[in-house]
Amino acid sequence: LVVLACNTLPVATFDFLRKTYSLPIVGTEPNINVSKFPALALCTTYTKNNCKILQGSKLDCLALPQLATLIDENIDNLENVKQYLLLFKNTISKYKSISLGCTHYTYIKHFIHEINNDCVIYENKYGVANRVAFLIEKGNVK
């Protein structure tokens, strides 16, 4: 079993990996199963431009091209990331549901709630965990 624990990675590699390897491959993709609209997916530019699941959904997408790198570079002091996120305050504050389309964004979801405390934030980590558990229970993974 391979888990691609990044949203951009599966978008870029799923087709190739699934054609090349016969083992189960689970990837993270933005959660499009939101309950409140209007809804927004926050993601990398690559995910916004290439994610088939997002392109076929009702979610609006906002690419945050520097956010994942800023989180990596400031993981010990995420307050440094907040100023960048505030550049998108007007957009983020308009939505009732926000899907985190990058696994890095889990680290700054409290800042998203500071900008828009009325929104529900959806993450994909639970779906990935459930899929892995299902494959293990089904016997596809040893």
Side-chain angles (χ1 to χ4, degrees), residues 53-93:
I53 195 169
L54 278 178
Q55 293 168 355
S57 76
K58 296 179 185 177
L59 275 68
D60 294 335
C61 292
L62 175 62
L64 302 168
Q66 298 172 11
L67 189 55
T69 300
L70 285 170
I71 291 168
D72 278 342
E73 292 173 351
N74 294 281
I75 197 68
D76 293 330
N77 186 6
L78 291 171
E79 283 292 324
N80 294 333
V81 178
K82 188 175 181 179
Q83 292 305 311
Y84 177 75
L85 195 60
L86 287 172
L87 296 174
F88 305 94
K89 180 179 180 176
N90 290 339
T91 300
I92 292 170
S93 62

Side-chain angles (χ1 to χ4, degrees), residues 12 23 30 42 56 70 76 94 102 109-111 116 122 138:
L23 58 124
L42 301 177
L70 285 170
D76 293 330
K94 293 190 291 187
C102 175
K109 67 182 181 180
H110 59 288
F111 293 145
N116 182 349
Y122 294 87
K138 189 176 169 188

Side-chain angles (χ1 to χ4, degrees), residues 15-81:
D15 290 340
F16 170 78
L17 292 174
R18 288 186 170 152
K19 288 177 189 172
T20 306
Y21 301 101
S22 61
L23 58 124
I25 300 171
V26 178
T28 59
E29 293 181 300
N31 187 338
I32 62 168
N33 298 314
V34 300
S35 62
K36 297 181 178 183
F37 286 91
L40 176 69
L42 301 177
C43 53
T44 65
T45 303
Y46 190 90
T47 297
K48 178 183 179 184
N49 293 337
N50 297 284
C51 182
K52 295 173 189 168
I53 195 169
L54 278 178
Q55 293 168 355
S57 76
K58 296 179 185 177
L59 275 68
D60 294 335
C61 292
L62 175 62
L64 302 168
Q66 298 172 11
L67 189 55
T69 300
L70 285 170
I71 291 168
D72 278 342
E73 292 173 351
N74 294 281
I75 197 68
D76 293 330
N77 186 6
L78 291 171
E79 283 292 324
N80 294 333
V81 178

